[in-house]
Tab-separated table of all heavy atoms in Angstrom:
chain	number	residue	atom	x	y	z
Q	6	GLY	N	0.782	-1.226	0.000
Q	6	GLY	CA	0.000	0.000	0.000
Q	6	GLY	C	0.816	1.280	0.000
Q	6	GLY	O	0.256	2.366	-0.114
Q	7	MET	N	2.141	1.181	0.127
Q	7	MET	CA	2.960	2.399	0.081
Q	7	MET	C	2.968	2.925	-1.351
Q	7	MET	O	3.199	2.157	-2.288
Q	7	MET	CB	4.405	2.113	0.506
Q	7	MET	CG	4.589	1.804	1.970
Q	7	MET	SD	6.306	1.314	2.373
Q	7	MET	CE	7.030	2.912	2.656
Q	8	PRO	N	2.727	4.217	-1.550
Q	8	PRO	CA	2.816	4.765	-2.907
Q	8	PRO	C	4.269	4.757	-3.399
Q	8	PRO	O	5.206	4.759	-2.583
Q	8	PRO	CB	2.287	6.189	-2.764
Q	8	PRO	CG	2.225	6.484	-1.316
Q	8	PRO	CD	2.299	5.191	-0.562
Q	9	LEU	N	4.447	4.745	-4.719
Q	9	LEU	CA	5.794	4.646	-5.288
Q	9	LEU	C	6.732	5.739	-4.795
Q	9	LEU	O	7.894	5.475	-4.507
Q	9	LEU	CB	5.734	4.683	-6.817
Q	9	LEU	CG	5.332	3.391	-7.507
Q	9	LEU	CD1	5.314	3.584	-9.015
Q	9	LEU	CD2	6.272	2.259	-7.135
Q	10	TYR	N	6.248	6.990	-4.706
Q	10	TYR	CA	7.131	8.072	-4.279
Q	10	TYR	C	7.608	7.848	-2.849
Q	10	TYR	O	8.738	8.195	-2.490
Q	10	TYR	CB	6.478	9.444	-4.426
Q	10	TYR	CG	5.331	9.689	-3.469
Q	10	TYR	CD1	5.560	10.187	-2.193
Q	10	TYR	CD2	4.020	9.420	-3.838
Q	10	TYR	CE1	4.521	10.396	-1.311
Q	10	TYR	CE2	2.969	9.627	-2.962
Q	10	TYR	CZ	3.227	10.124	-1.699
Q	10	TYR	OH	2.191	10.330	-0.827
Q	11	GLN	N	6.778	7.218	-2.010
Q	11	GLN	CA	7.184	6.929	-0.630
Q	11	GLN	C	8.207	5.795	-0.598
Q	11	GLN	O	9.170	5.838	0.170
Q	11	GLN	CB	5.974	6.575	0.232
Q	11	GLN	CG	6.327	6.425	1.695
Q	11	GLN	CD	5.112	6.110	2.565
Q	11	GLN	OE1	4.019	5.904	2.078
Q	11	GLN	NE2	5.323	6.068	3.857
Q	12	ILE	N	8.017	4.793	-1.446
Q	12	ILE	CA	9.003	3.707	-1.548
Q	12	ILE	C	10.335	4.282	-2.021
Q	12	ILE	O	11.396	3.942	-1.483
Q	12	ILE	CB	8.507	2.585	-2.485
Q	12	ILE	CG1	7.256	1.922	-1.900
Q	12	ILE	CG2	9.613	1.553	-2.719
Q	12	ILE	CD1	6.563	0.959	-2.850
Q	13	TYR	N	10.278	5.176	-3.010
Q	13	TYR	CA	11.494	5.834	-3.503
Q	13	TYR	C	12.216	6.552	-2.363
Q	13	TYR	O	13.425	6.378	-2.172
Q	13	TYR	CB	11.132	6.820	-4.614
Q	13	TYR	CG	12.231	7.786	-4.957
Q	13	TYR	CD1	13.402	7.357	-5.568
Q	13	TYR	CD2	12.102	9.145	-4.672
Q	13	TYR	CE1	14.425	8.242	-5.882
Q	13	TYR	CE2	13.112	10.039	-4.982
Q	13	TYR	CZ	14.260	9.587	-5.585
Q	13	TYR	OH	15.267	10.459	-5.889
Q	14	ASP	N	11.482	7.359	-1.590
Q	14	ASP	CA	12.090	8.074	-0.473
Q	14	ASP	C	12.646	7.110	0.570
Q	14	ASP	O	13.707	7.343	1.145
Q	14	ASP	CB	11.090	9.029	0.179
Q	14	ASP	CG	10.955	10.340	-0.580
Q	14	ASP	OD1	11.842	10.656	-1.395
Q	14	ASP	OD2	9.963	11.051	-0.335
Q	15	TYR	N	11.940	6.025	0.814
Q	15	TYR	CA	12.386	5.012	1.782
Q	15	TYR	C	13.730	4.425	1.356
Q	15	TYR	O	14.647	4.302	2.161
Q	15	TYR	CB	11.328	3.908	1.835
Q	15	TYR	CG	10.898	3.508	3.211
Q	15	TYR	CD1	10.384	4.422	4.107
Q	15	TYR	CD2	10.984	2.183	3.603
Q	15	TYR	CE1	9.970	4.031	5.366
Q	15	TYR	CE2	10.563	1.788	4.861
Q	15	TYR	CZ	10.062	2.719	5.739
Q	15	TYR	OH	9.660	2.326	6.977
Q	16	ILE	N	13.824	4.053	0.085
Q	16	ILE	CA	15.063	3.455	-0.415
Q	16	ILE	C	16.207	4.455	-0.334
Q	16	ILE	O	17.278	4.155	0.188
Q	16	ILE	CB	14.893	2.931	-1.856
Q	16	ILE	CG1	13.889	1.778	-1.877
Q	16	ILE	CG2	16.242	2.497	-2.431
Q	16	ILE	CD1	13.456	1.371	-3.281
Q	17	ARG	N	15.990	5.656	-0.841
Q	17	ARG	CA	17.088	6.628	-0.916
Q	17	ARG	C	17.527	7.127	0.450
Q	17	ARG	O	18.695	7.414	0.661
Q	17	ARG	CB	16.750	7.774	-1.855
Q	17	ARG	CG	15.751	8.755	-1.357
Q	17	ARG	CD	15.373	9.789	-2.421
Q	17	ARG	NE	14.589	10.843	-1.821
Q	17	ARG	CZ	15.083	11.985	-1.372
Q	17	ARG	NH1	16.374	12.223	-1.455
Q	17	ARG	NH2	14.297	12.897	-0.837
Q	18	MET	N	16.597	7.218	1.419
Q	18	MET	CA	17.006	7.724	2.735
Q	18	MET	C	17.821	6.686	3.503
Q	18	MET	O	18.492	7.015	4.473
Q	18	MET	CB	15.802	8.172	3.560
Q	18	MET	CG	14.983	7.070	4.152
Q	18	MET	SD	13.670	7.782	5.159
Q	18	MET	CE	12.953	6.295	5.813
Q	19	LEU	N	17.754	5.418	3.085
Q	19	LEU	CA	18.521	4.362	3.749
Q	19	LEU	C	19.725	3.917	2.926
Q	19	LEU	O	20.426	2.991	3.298
Q	19	LEU	CB	17.604	3.164	4.030
Q	19	LEU	CG	16.447	3.460	4.980
Q	19	LEU	CD1	15.494	2.276	5.055
Q	19	LEU	CD2	16.949	3.848	6.351
Q	20	ASP	N	19.959	4.585	1.800
Q	20	ASP	CA	21.008	4.180	0.874
Q	20	ASP	C	22.327	4.891	1.197
Q	20	ASP	O	22.802	5.733	0.443
Q	20	ASP	CB	20.565	4.472	-0.561
Q	20	ASP	CG	21.423	3.757	-1.588
Q	20	ASP	OD1	22.296	2.955	-1.196
Q	20	ASP	OD2	21.223	4.003	-2.795
Q	21	ALA	N	22.896	4.532	2.354
Q	21	ALA	CA	24.185	5.088	2.767
Q	21	ALA	C	24.868	4.086	3.685
Q	21	ALA	O	24.210	3.290	4.351
Q	21	ALA	CB	23.989	6.416	3.489
Q	22	GLU	N	26.174	4.166	3.710
Q	22	GLU	CA	26.950	3.270	4.568
Q	22	GLU	C	26.505	3.424	6.024
Q	22	GLU	O	26.292	4.532	6.516
Q	22	GLU	CB	28.436	3.610	4.450
Q	22	GLU	CG	29.331	2.656	5.185
Q	22	GLU	CD	30.810	2.965	4.982
Q	22	GLU	OE1	31.158	3.508	3.923
Q	22	GLU	OE2	31.582	2.650	5.894
Q	23	GLY	N	26.336	2.286	6.691
Q	23	GLY	CA	25.959	2.306	8.092
Q	23	GLY	C	24.461	2.253	8.336
Q	23	GLY	O	24.024	2.135	9.469
Q	24	TYR	N	23.666	2.351	7.288
Q	24	TYR	CA	22.214	2.272	7.420
Q	24	TYR	C	21.732	0.925	6.900
Q	24	TYR	O	22.133	0.507	5.808
Q	24	TYR	CB	21.525	3.375	6.604
Q	24	TYR	CG	21.616	4.733	7.237
Q	24	TYR	CD1	22.772	5.499	7.150
Q	24	TYR	CD2	20.539	5.253	7.926
Q	24	TYR	CE1	22.865	6.744	7.725
Q	24	TYR	CE2	20.607	6.508	8.508
Q	24	TYR	CZ	21.771	7.252	8.402
Q	24	TYR	OH	21.845	8.485	8.982
Q	25	PRO	N	20.845	0.257	7.638
Q	25	PRO	CA	20.265	-0.970	7.093
Q	25	PRO	C	19.370	-0.594	5.910
Q	25	PRO	O	18.658	0.407	5.967
Q	25	PRO	CB	19.465	-1.555	8.256
Q	25	PRO	CG	19.314	-0.459	9.251
Q	25	PRO	CD	20.370	0.566	8.973
Q	26	PRO	N	19.414	-1.360	4.819
Q	26	PRO	CA	18.689	-0.971	3.604
Q	26	PRO	C	17.180	-1.159	3.704
Q	26	PRO	O	16.679	-1.920	4.542
Q	26	PRO	CB	19.273	-1.922	2.545
Q	26	PRO	CG	19.667	-3.129	3.333
Q	26	PRO	CD	20.143	-2.612	4.658
Q	27	ALA	N	16.469	-0.463	2.814
Q	27	ALA	CA	15.038	-0.717	2.649
Q	27	ALA	C	14.909	-2.113	2.059
Q	27	ALA	O	15.736	-2.542	1.242
Q	27	ALA	CB	14.433	0.317	1.714
Q	28	TYR	N	13.878	-2.844	2.471
Q	28	TYR	CA	13.768	-4.230	2.022
Q	28	TYR	C	12.312	-4.686	1.956
Q	28	TYR	O	11.415	-4.057	2.512
Q	28	TYR	CB	14.545	-5.161	2.953
Q	28	TYR	CG	13.910	-5.300	4.319
Q	28	TYR	CD1	12.995	-6.334	4.584
Q	28	TYR	CD2	14.181	-4.409	5.340
Q	28	TYR	CE1	12.392	-6.452	5.829
Q	28	TYR	CE2	13.591	-4.530	6.585
Q	28	TYR	CZ	12.695	-5.552	6.819
Q	28	TYR	OH	12.095	-5.665	8.046
Q	29	ILE	N	12.125	-5.810	1.282
Q	29	ILE	CA	10.856	-6.534	1.245
Q	29	ILE	C	11.163	-7.983	1.612
Q	29	ILE	O	12.106	-8.576	1.084
Q	29	ILE	CB	10.204	-6.490	-0.160
Q	29	ILE	CG1	9.783	-5.063	-0.512
Q	29	ILE	CG2	9.013	-7.441	-0.251
Q	29	ILE	CD1	9.257	-4.911	-1.931
Q	30	SER	N	10.371	-8.546	2.516
Q	30	SER	CA	10.500	-9.973	2.834
Q	30	SER	C	9.829	-10.763	1.724
Q	30	SER	O	8.719	-10.441	1.302
Q	30	SER	CB	9.829	-10.281	4.170
Q	30	SER	OG	10.598	-9.750	5.215
Q	31	PHE	N	10.513	-11.796	1.251
Q	31	PHE	CA	10.000	-12.616	0.150
Q	31	PHE	C	10.395	-14.060	0.418
Q	31	PHE	O	11.499	-14.490	0.072
Q	31	PHE	CB	10.577	-12.111	-1.176
Q	31	PHE	CG	10.030	-12.806	-2.394
Q	31	PHE	CD1	8.741	-12.575	-2.832
Q	31	PHE	CD2	10.829	-13.686	-3.106
Q	31	PHE	CE1	8.248	-13.209	-3.959
Q	31	PHE	CE2	10.346	-14.331	-4.235
Q	31	PHE	CZ	9.048	-14.093	-4.661
Q	32	GLY	N	9.506	-14.779	1.108
Q	32	GLY	CA	9.815	-16.168	1.447
Q	32	GLY	C	11.052	-16.247	2.312
Q	32	GLY	O	11.165	-15.556	3.315
Q	33	LYS	N	12.014	-17.069	1.880
Q	33	LYS	CA	13.242	-17.212	2.668
Q	33	LYS	C	14.275	-16.134	2.331
Q	33	LYS	O	15.390	-16.170	2.826
Q	33	LYS	CB	13.836	-18.611	2.481
Q	33	LYS	CG	14.403	-18.906	1.117
Q	33	LYS	CD	15.008	-20.304	1.114
Q	33	LYS	CE	15.833	-20.537	-0.140
Q	33	LYS	NZ	16.579	-21.793	-0.074
Q	34	TYR	N	13.873	-15.166	1.506
Q	34	TYR	CA	14.789	-14.098	1.100
Q	34	TYR	C	14.344	-12.735	1.613
Q	34	TYR	O	13.175	-12.484	1.864
Q	34	TYR	CB	14.896	-14.029	-0.425
Q	34	TYR	CG	15.410	-15.292	-1.030
Q	34	TYR	CD1	14.555	-16.186	-1.636
Q	34	TYR	CD2	16.767	-15.612	-0.970
Q	34	TYR	CE1	15.013	-17.369	-2.180
Q	34	TYR	CE2	17.239	-16.804	-1.511
Q	34	TYR	CZ	16.362	-17.673	-2.119
Q	34	TYR	OH	16.820	-18.848	-2.650
């Protein structure tokens, strides 16, 4: 349900050394 622009902001705000990345759980991955 997150809109694309929010997903974009989520990814980019966590895209730096020392930050855990934005992610999606997908089965065992």
Side-chain angles (χ1 to χ4, degrees):
M7 290 174 87
L9 281 180
Y10 69 87
Q11 187 178 5
I12 296 171
Y13 166 68
D14 279 342
Y15 228 57
I16 295 169
R17 73 186 190 95
M18 76 177 184
L19 297 173
D20 195 5
E22 186 176 331
Y24 284 79
Y28 70 92
I29 294 174
S30 288
F31 185 72
K33 69 177 191 172
Y34 300 102

